[in-house]
Amino acid sequence: MAKFDFDIGILGGGAAGLTIASGAAQLGAKVLLIDKEDRLGGDCLHYGCVPSKTLIRTAHVWHLMKKTRRFGLPDLEMKPVDFGAVAARIQSVIGTIQKHDSEERFCSLGVKVEFGDAVFTDEHTMSLGKAYTAKTWVIATGSSPAVPLIDGLDKTPYITNKKIFSLGRLPDSMIFFGGGPIGVEMAQAFCRLGSRVTVIERGSQILIKEDKDMADAVMQAMIDEGVTFYLDSEIIGVLDLGTEKEVVIREGDETTSLKAEVIVVAAGREANVEGLGLEAIGIDFNKKGIRVDDRMRTNHSHIYAAGDATGMYQFTHAAGYEGGIVLSNAIFHLPRKADYTYLPWCTYTDPELSSIGMGEAAAKKKGIAHSVWTEEFRANDRSLAEGEEVGKIKMVLDEHRRLASGVVTAIRISRHPG
């Protein structure tokens, strides 16, 4: 029997990788954790969930401060936002959480942590200056912002979620490419802080994975706050004008020129699968991600993939869940399959749009008999007391008007009443 340096080797120190590393080490496995950055925590900690939710909370507080009269309070004197101070708070929150995801902590658990660009040289060996072998490997390398091919974009400065939280000052105006969760969350936050914000979406609605009526309710709330939307719009060119950037869009047969100080590209994500040597060892993957079965195994049964690297459900909690699936199969050797039937998710706009199970559009597409029940928040006592009258609960029921296991279950919440 071949002798390996480690029982399990993990590529990627994000949600999935850290879940597997800590679990495996505490179960007595010899663990190697490799990350291409010089720190652990992944996109969620440094460029995603943590900084975005910190910024959203700051923007929400500022938004409430401008509505004191609505709650029977006197108007407040409002000064311009110092985004440098906001960015400092974001980094402070990241720094606090980083201690939990630190190299020191994982080393104390018995994990060997290495940083750098690792490449597979065979099915059990990874090269990182020196060769490391492992009986089992996990690819949890995450994802990066997808940058669309747009004329002039390569010659025009723009930012993504990797730069948006460290801006030195609040931009006067911003154009967001993409109406997905990242785009709409950040668009609303910066609008609330004082930027003039425009969102361009090539589809007919924002938040394309949600039911249209629910996504439209979120969009209308954002329009009421001052965000401008262009739907069914194709970006045909970008030009750097110096202090401003020009974006030309096509809506049907008409073209429109838009200008803003900052362009934010939020047009989806791409799995980080390039440069790992996956082709050389015959791993089945494409630009969307690494193909896995329901036990998170690749076409090599001793090599797993989890998190954004699979291109499936790009949520931190999904990555953690998949990490648990890997632990069960790779460490405990107990067959366990991933089941996403009741995977919840939330877009942290205001109103928030939270979902679990199958929505109305998906039920119609599958031809499943169903009915829809809704209740508006304006009829809810707690909602009225909180001053949060926009939103509703939507439930998709089976033919017996119940939440049937494995058939249709959906709860859509726009702004929680409390």
Side-chain angles (χ1 to χ4, degrees):
M1 179 179 292
K3 185 177 181 180
F4 301 104
D5 301 325
F6 296 91
D7 298 311
I8 187 168
I10 303 156
L11 297 182
L18 296 183
T19 296
I20 298 164
S22 61
Q26 291 177 82
L27 290 168
K30 191 174 183 182
V31 181
L32 170 66
L33 176 62
I34 303 173
D35 195 275
K36 66 179 179 180
E37 303 286 347
D38 58 359
R39 58 191 178 183
L40 301 178
D43 204 76
C44 175
L45 175 59
H46 299 289
Y47 314 115
C49 318
V50 172
S52 68
K53 303 314 170 278
T54 306
L55 176 63
I56 287 168
R57 181 59 178 171
T58 294
H60 178 67
V61 171
W62 189 246
H63 182 66
L64 282 178
M65 290 171 65
K66 291 184 284 188
K67 299 196 301 179
T68 51
R69 188 176 290 264
R70 181 180 175 186
F71 296 94
L73 300 171
D75 291 333
L76 298 177
E77 180 184 356
M78 306 299 288
K79 297 180 180 180
V81 169
D82 176 3
F83 195 79
V86 174
R89 176 175 180 265
I90 291 171
Q91 293 305 314
S92 174
V93 173
I94 292 172
T96 300
I97 299 173
Q98 178 71 75
K99 297 172 185 176
H100 182 265
D101 291 348
S102 68
E103 177 184 358
E104 291 76 16
R105 176 176 177 268
F106 278 82
C107 287
S108 72
L109 295 175
V111 177
K112 181 174 179 58
V113 179
E114 293 283 2
F115 298 102
D117 295 317
V119 180
F120 278 105
T121 55
D122 64 46
E123 293 180 20
H124 287 280
T125 307
M126 186 68 65
S127 176
L128 184 68
K130 61 175 289 188
Y132 291 102
T133 62
K135 180 180 180 182
T136 299
W137 284 98
V138 183
I139 304 168
T141 46
S143 64
S144 297
V147 179
L149 293 174
I150 298 172
D151 185 36
L153 186 59
D154 59 336
K155 302 179 183 66
T156 304
Y158 64 87
I159 63 173
T160 67
N161 66 298
K162 288 198 170 185
K163 295 291 185 181
I164 199 169
F165 305 108
S166 56
L167 293 171
R169 64 177 183 82
L170 184 71
D172 292 329
S173 54
M174 307 174 79
I175 295 177
F176 285 78
F177 292 2
I182 295 174
V184 297
E185 286 180 357
M186 294 298 94
Q188 185 178 48
F190 276 91
C191 178
R192 286 181 161 188
L193 292 175
S195 296
R196 177 169 53 83
V197 175
T198 300
V199 176
I200 303 171
E201 167 57 45
R202 64 181 179 180
S204 60
Q205 69 169 78
I206 63 170
L207 304 174
I208 194 65
K209 294 183 179 180
E210 306 288 354
D211 286 346
K212 188 176 186 305
D213 60 326
M214 304 302 282
D216 284 352
V218 172
M219 185 175 72
Q220 187 58 55
M222 293 175 64
I223 290 172
D224 292 343
E225 292 181 11
V227 179
T228 300
F229 289 88
Y230 288 89
L231 304 182
D232 288 316
S233 299
E234 178 188 4
I235 303 170
I236 59 177
V238 177
L239 183 63
D240 184 9
L241 302 178
T243 56
E244 285 188 317
K245 284 75 182 172
E246 182 180 33
V247 179
V248 180
I249 63 173
R250 180 186 291 124
E251 302 173 275
D253 296 328
E254 297 183 2
T255 59
T256 303
S257 176
L258 307 172
K259 294 182 177 67
E261 181 184 344
V262 173
I263 290 174
V264 183
V265 175
R269 310 281 298 178
E270 291 182 345
N272 295 329
V273 293
E274 300 296 331
L276 300 176
L278 303 184
E279 301 94 337
I281 61 171
I283 292 290
D284 187 4
F285 76 99
N286 55 34
K287 285 187 176 182
K288 292 184 178 180
I290 298 170
R291 192 183 304 277
V292 294
D293 63 13
D294 52 12
R295 295 181 186 175
M296 311 310 298
R297 299 175 299 187
T298 69
N299 52 307
H300 294 305
S301 60
H302 69 285
I303 301 179
Y304 295 76
D308 284 11
T310 68
M312 295 192 296
Y313 297 92
Q314 296 179 329
F315 306 111
T316 297
H317 59 287
Y321 168 69
E322 291 166 357
I325 299 294
V326 172
L327 280 172
S328 181
N329 287 283
I331 302 300
F332 284 107
H333 302 292
L334 296 174
R336 183 183 171 199
K337 298 179 180 180
D339 181 358
Y340 303 100
T341 304
Y342 301 116
L343 177 73
W345 67 88
C346 180
T347 301
Y348 291 88
T349 47
D350 184 6
E352 293 181 355
L353 180 46
S354 305
S355 309
I356 183 170
M358 187 183 298
E360 183 181 9
K364 287 180 179 178
K365 187 175 181 179
K366 290 180 177 289
I368 299 174
H370 66 279
S371 60
V372 176
W373 175 88
T374 62
E375 180 174 329
E376 300 287 339
F377 282 1
R378 68 173 64 96
N380 181 279
D381 294 353
R382 176 68 182 276
S383 181
L384 291 169
E386 294 282 344
E388 305 288 4
E389 300 176 32
V390 177
K392 62 183 177 182
I393 294 176
K394 177 179 180 180
M395 303 178 71
V396 180
L397 310 172
D398 68 10
E399 64 270 28
H400 304 295
R401 294 189 62 79
R402 64 188 181 192
L403 301 176
S405 176
V407 182
V408 182
T409 304
I411 304 174
R412 300 293 192 264
I413 304 175
S414 277
R415 187 170 285 159
H416 192 281

